[in-house]
Amino acid sequence: MRVSPYTPQFVFQDGAVFALDIQRIEDGIEKAIADYEFPYRDGALLEDMGERARRVRFRCYFYNESFASAWALLEKLNSQDILDFVHPEYGTLTGRIKRMDVRHDDRIRTAEIDIEFVEQLILTSAQQAALDVKGMAEASYVAGMQQQMQWFSDYVMQQMGPEGSKALSQTLDYTQPGVLSQIQNLTTNGRNFVAKVDTYVRTLDGTLSEVVSAANSLTTMINWGTQLPGRVIGSIAKAVTRMAALYNAAATAPARFLQNLKTGIDTLADASGEFGAQTQCGGAHALALQAGYLYDTDEQTYNTIKQQEGQNQKAFDTLGNYVGTAASANIMSANDYETTLALVRSYIEGVLEMARTAGEDMTQLKAAALNLLRFAEQVKTERANVIQISVANPTPLHLICLQYGLDYHAAERVYAINSGIKNPSFTEGSLNIYAG
């Protein structure tokens, strides 16, 4: 049985996300064919004018716990905003809802909705507005920290009962170590729980304390408030930020950097006791943020190299000798995007499952995962595919580019994705090259 690569869901412009339990789905794809008929000639001259609007029809079910969310979804679908539909096979489609048919039975708490979704005009890569992956990642991170503080507040109330309000409303001095000494007049049970929070905070504050994170780090710009949730979640964020600074200083490949960061987060979560889920949630936000930074840096590097190609700089002399300089940084390949995306999204999925078990809905984590997916899809669409060729005899790299339909200035990019080229003037053997 084939498993769909994407989880069906609606994503609205305000960040609201609704997961969909779909039974069947139909895709209507119709070509716009213009036929021109001529007198005294059989048949017609056909011209392909592209595709008509793609229509997706499906039936989704809401029952038991999800029954109440059906009405919230219907209210959102009545809006006139463009929304994203994550198709189980094709990924993200942007468009509008054209028709809805609703059937429900309150007695068995079941609702089924037939929806017809029409895709918005598909723009070419030259027409598409580039996604600000860094800005979106930072926005989701900041909003996600607020959601996690609410999750922690809910957990405190569950563990402490009525005393939780006293602990949550207490104003704290962040310059003081721990929190136990600043929260007074608690029962023995309440004090025991705050003591565990105190140990957790001290562990976070002591993690990689010798590592100095950047002064402009996003965690320094967030208003954590002066109460217990901000003190705890802020410590998680700062500890993971120091961890990211440590691993990033090693200048490893993107996938290796994120894998090292994930391993470090898991190690810290194992030492967090009953607060491990909170550590992992903060880590998931950090992984999405760091992936956004990596993608943004890669996009800037790619644009810089493309700009240099367009300036007609001489990379080879008249004898075919390479006189230019190789790109200062490698461009991430499609495989790099898929590997890093899978790592971050799978980690987020695990945290979302824990949050659902705890009765929490971390919508900003969902939004962060979707934004990374959309950006990666755009990059893979806009950039040329890489093919592998075999060069039998030593050949100048710029000549190989010309043979495969590329401008010879593209030799910079081809050089960047081939670690085995020792001398670009005498390239031979297996070679990765962009498809012209």
Side-chain angles (χ1 to χ4, degrees), residues 12 16 18 62 66-78:
F12 293 85
F18 288 85
F62 298 86
S66 64
F67 178 68
S69 64
W71 314 116
L73 175 60
L74 288 173
E75 184 177 350
K76 294 290 293 183
L77 293 178
N78 284 327

Side-chain angles (χ1 to χ4, degrees), residues 236 240 243 258-270 272 275-288 339-356 365-366 369:
I236 297 173
V240 178
M243 197 176 294
L258 292 178
Q259 180 61 52
N260 289 342
L261 180 57
K262 172 184 173 297
T263 303
I265 294 167
D266 285 338
T267 301
L268 184 59
D270 291 340
S272 299
F275 305 106
Q278 295 291 335
T279 301
Q280 288 182 295
C281 184
H285 282 293
L287 281 170
T339 302
T340 54
L341 193 62
L343 186 151
V344 175
R345 284 173 62 87
S346 63
Y347 198 84
I348 288 177
E349 184 177 353
V351 171
L352 289 176
E353 185 61 34
M354 288 190 295
R356 280 192 291 268
L365 266 181
K366 298 176 186 177

Side-chain angles (χ1 to χ4, degrees), residues 93-232:
L93 305 178
T94 301
R96 298 180 186 273
I97 300 299
K98 183 176 182 179
R99 180 183 175 90
M100 293 182 292
D101 294 307
V102 185
R103 292 170 297 280
H104 56 86
D105 190 334
D106 293 345
R107 294 172 299 176
I108 58 175
R109 293 180 58 80
T110 300
E112 58 182 53
I113 307 176
D114 290 332
I115 296 176
E116 182 177 357
F117 175 87
V118 182
E119 188 177 16
Q120 177 79 343
L121 174 67
I122 302 175
L123 301 178
T124 64
S125 60
Q127 295 170 313
Q128 288 179 345
L131 295 174
D132 180 11
V133 66
K134 178 181 177 181
M136 292 188 300
E138 289 184 335
S140 293
Y141 183 85
V142 173
M145 291 296 99
Q146 298 298 322
Q147 287 187 340
Q148 190 175 353
M149 282 192 277
Q150 183 59 53
W151 181 5
F152 182 78
S153 298
D154 293 342
Y155 184 70
V156 171
M157 293 299 296
Q158 292 171 9
Q159 299 299 311
M160 297 185 66
E163 277 192 306
S165 299
K166 182 188 298 184
L168 292 172
S169 61
Q170 180 69 48
T171 299
L172 303 177
D173 181 359
Y174 280 24
T175 63
Q176 298 297 319
V179 296
L180 182 60
S181 62
Q182 301 183 59
I183 301 178
Q184 305 296 328
N185 302 321
L186 297 175
T187 64
T188 300
N189 290 336
R191 188 168 181 80
N192 288 340
F193 177 77
V194 174
K196 289 188 286 187
V197 175
D198 183 89
T199 301
Y200 179 47
V201 169
R202 290 175 183 271
T203 300
L204 293 169
D205 292 343
T207 300
L208 299 176
S209 57
E210 71 281 2
V211 177
V212 179
S213 56
N216 61 348
S217 169
L218 193 57
T219 57
T220 64
M221 304 177 188
I222 297 176
N223 181 11
W224 299 106
T226 58
Q227 297 173 328
L228 186 61
R231 178 70 175 93
V232 174

